Amino acid sequence: MRIELAAMLAIAALGLPGISGGAATSGNAVGLAKKDPAPPHTGAEGETPSLAPLVDRVRPTVVGVTTISKGKGPSPEIEEFWRRFFGRNAPKERGKQIGLGSGVIIDPSGIILTNNHVVAGAQKVLVRTSDDQEHQATVVGTDPDTDVAVIKITEVKGPLQAATLGDSDAIRVGDYVVAIGNPFGLELTVTSGIISAKARVIGATPFDDFLQTDAAINPGNSGGPLFDLSGRVIGINTAIVATGQGIGFAVPIDLIKALLPQLEKTGRVVRGFLGVGVQDLTPELARALGVKAEKGALVSSVDKNGPAANVLHPGDVITTAEGKPVTNAAELSRQVSQLKPGAVVTLGVLREGKQQTVKVKLGERPSKEGKEKEQPPELKPEQGPVGLSISPVPKELADQMGIDGGALVVDVEPGSRAAEAGLRQGDVIVEANRKPVKAPKDLIDVAKKNPKQPLALRVRRGEAAIYLVIPTE
């Protein structure tokens, strides 16, 4: 499934219609109103129910966000938008990229929530409120790991209305919601739908916990609010499935509320860090590794210089964190990220069939650098098991990865069991059925010794490590 952030699909064009959002009245520091808004008008007997009263009440809290950054002009998607709606190409301005998104006012002093990808790299940020006033704004804080940003109007030109922040944890699948934003620059567009799912993990951020909705979300909606029927913000719209319809995602407001104090005070979010690679414990992995557990976070790698070095080991299954159940890798990441560096976290660990408790003093989560590893040199492969061509790991690559030998995957036969298991060219196999693999021969020996058993492999892939299971024929 191809997931694309809404503004990254197409939110840039010069001369698009104006953006919109916030107007009059007051609120408090983080948009928590003194009393909850009344529910939308459902109509007297014989009248047609309508969302109009709700929309009228909350629309002044929604703003349009325009960013100006270095670039080569509009994207192909925006060119198509101009051709479709105006019959001509989008205007161009040399050396500038114009981006459009949305936001929601959470404080009458001009503090606004939006997406990080809306303002990332912006040299100038402009906010247009629903009364057609344009304001300059500055970026107060950003968190790329959750795609959340806080911006602030530098000089408020009139009273602003702040939205009320709701309770995303209390929202239920099937509850009605309303999205307001500026898709393709079409200001203050209102769409409605339901919550389709909660706690969605789509691979967009390290801490995916999205609300899924079928309320129409399009490029330009990024950063805009998702309201419940009481007019409270329960999410910030951030992502769509590019090839689907009625599949949009919003960052839950409860997650954002936990980040706001840091974003407003320091401009960034500091998170706890274990220094381990984890993946979901699947039934296939549990059987292959002989683990007597159904759920948990399987430790696939441990940073030798990280907080958990000498405490956790590859093959451990983390089942609880601070007494709370851990059912998968994403849940562990979210729980640890909510703790501060220096905090001591108590983990329940299943190791070699025995449940035990360990404590780890957390470090600070490093910034994501995304460095690419150099490709290994060409080597003479030898035939390995289950459709693999393997070779010894070159010393330079072993030193770079911090490993002592292994079996380098040079090629994977299409349609083989190895291909079906997910092995790729460039992977380095360092363990097979819990036995270390120092050279290709070690892998071949393990496969030959137990030909009727699944082959559980621990694989280094760049800086990460994962477990893969090759089933029997």
Side-chain angles (χ1 to χ4, degrees):
M1 182 170 64
R2 181 166 172 254
I3 305 294
E4 294 194 18
L5 299 176
M8 295 174 71
L9 290 175
I11 53 169
L14 221 51
L16 279 174
I19 332 292
S20 54
T25 90
S26 61
N28 60 7
V30 292
L32 297 174
K34 296 179 181 178
K35 63 178 181 178
D36 291 340
H41 177 62
T42 56
E45 188 174 351
E47 293 182 5
T48 303
S50 176
L51 292 170
L54 166 67
V55 173
D56 289 343
R57 190 168 64 250
V58 302
R59 188 162 44 189
T61 69
V62 184
V63 302
V65 180
T66 302
T67 59
I68 301 174
S69 56
K70 291 182 180 179
K72 297 181 180 179
S75 66
E77 292 87 352
I78 286 298
E79 289 282 9
E80 174 61 25
F81 170 76
W82 273 84
R83 283 192 290 269
R84 184 181 302 172
F85 286 92
F86 300 99
R88 59 187 176 89
N89 291 332
K92 296 178 175 65
E93 186 172 339
R94 184 181 297 275
K96 290 186 178 180
Q97 177 78 45
I98 309 299
L100 300 180
S102 306
V104 60
I105 301 169
I106 61 170
D107 187 275
S109 66
I111 296 177
I112 294 165
L113 270 180
T114 186
N115 283 149
N116 173 72
H117 75 260
V118 170
V119 298
Q123 296 175 309
K124 187 176 183 180
V125 180
L126 299 174
V127 170
R128 185 175 293 275
T129 49
S130 61
D131 57 359
D132 268 348
Q133 292 284 328
E134 189 169 79
H135 311 256
Q136 289 200 20
T138 58
V139 178
V140 175
T142 60
D143 182 37
D145 283 340
T146 55
D147 196 24
V148 172
V150 175
I151 61 177
K152 189 178 188 302
I153 294 174
T154 54
E155 185 177 345
V156 178
K157 298 177 181 179
L160 298 174
Q161 178 176 324
T164 300
L165 303 189
D167 183 354
S168 55
D169 187 55
I171 202 79
R172 301 168 301 172
V173 173
D175 282 348
Y176 286 102
V177 288
V178 173
I180 305 181
N182 301 284
F184 294 109
L186 302 172
E187 54 191 46
L188 291 178
T189 295
V190 180
T191 58
S192 66
I194 62 169
I195 293 294
S196 305
K198 297 177 66 174
R200 282 294 197 209
V201 176
I202 62 174
T205 77
F207 307 108
D208 284 8
D209 191 26
F210 291 112
L211 300 175
Q212 181 182 329
T213 179
D214 67 348
I217 306 293
N218 289 287
N221 276 110
S222 289
L226 189 67
F227 293 101
D228 64 16
L229 289 192
S230 292
R232 296 171 294 212
V233 179
I234 51 95
I236 296 296
N237 300 316
T238 189
I240 61 175
V241 176
T243 56
Q245 292 184 347
I247 306 177
F249 301 95
V251 183
I253 202 65
D254 287 358
L255 173 61
I256 296 173
K257 285 190 289 188
L259 306 179
L260 275 174
Q262 289 191 68
L263 287 174
E264 293 187 74
K265 185 176 181 179
T266 66
R268 69 188 189 101
V269 176
V270 177
R271 293 181 169 89
F273 179 63
L274 270 177
V276 298
V278 291
Q279 65 186 95
D280 294 348
L281 179 68
T282 64
E284 293 79 13
L285 274 172
R287 285 194 296 270
L289 294 171
V291 174
K292 294 181 179 179
E294 296 181 356
K295 297 180 179 179
L298 175 64
V299 177
S300 55
S301 64
V302 180
D303 184 348
K304 63 181 180 180
N305 297 315
N310 304 318
V311 180
L312 294 173
H313 309 290
D316 287 348
V317 178
I318 300 174
T319 55
T320 64
E322 291 297 283
K324 297 179 180 179
V326 172
T327 60
N328 54 51
E331 192 170 77
L332 176 66
S333 296
R334 287 195 295 269
Q335 289 187 26
V336 171
S337 72
Q338 292 171 6
L339 302 173
K340 294 181 179 180
V344 177
V345 60
T346 301
L347 302 173
V349 175
L350 187 61
R351 179 181 296 163
E352 296 180 355
K354 297 180 180 179
Q355 186 72 42
Q356 54 187 283
T357 299
V358 300
K359 294 181 181 293
V360 180
K361 184 177 181 180
L362 299 178
E364 180 179 337
R365 181 181 174 83
S367 300
K368 185 171 60 176
E369 296 180 357
K371 295 180 180 178
E372 293 291 333
K373 294 295 182 185
E374 296 181 4
Q375 292 296 320
E378 290 188 14
L379 300 164
K380 292 184 178 180
E382 59 183 285
Q383 192 63 39
V386 295
L388 288 173
S389 293
I390 53 180
S391 75
V393 181
K395 184 178 184 305
E396 299 80 7
L397 180 60
D399 292 343
Q400 185 183 54
M401 300 179 77
I403 58 176
D404 181 17
L408 174 65
V409 176
V410 180
D411 192 24
V412 182
E413 181 183 339
S416 66
R417 286 190 289 148
E420 292 176 0
L423 281 159
R424 305 175 187 171
Q425 182 182 23
D427 285 348
V428 177
I429 300 168
V430 294
E431 186 180 290
N433 287 353
R434 292 192 177 275
K435 294 184 178 180
V437 173
K438 302 291 186 182
K441 182 179 181 300
D442 297 332
L443 174 62
I444 295 170
D445 289 345
V446 171
K448 286 182 177 179
K449 185 177 181 180
N450 302 293
K452 295 183 179 181
Q453 291 184 4
L455 196 60
L457 305 177
R458 192 162 74 91
V459 176
R460 286 294 303 269
R461 183 171 288 170
E463 294 183 355
I466 58 173
Y467 280 94
L468 296 174
V469 177
I470 300 178
T472 55
E473 292 187 66

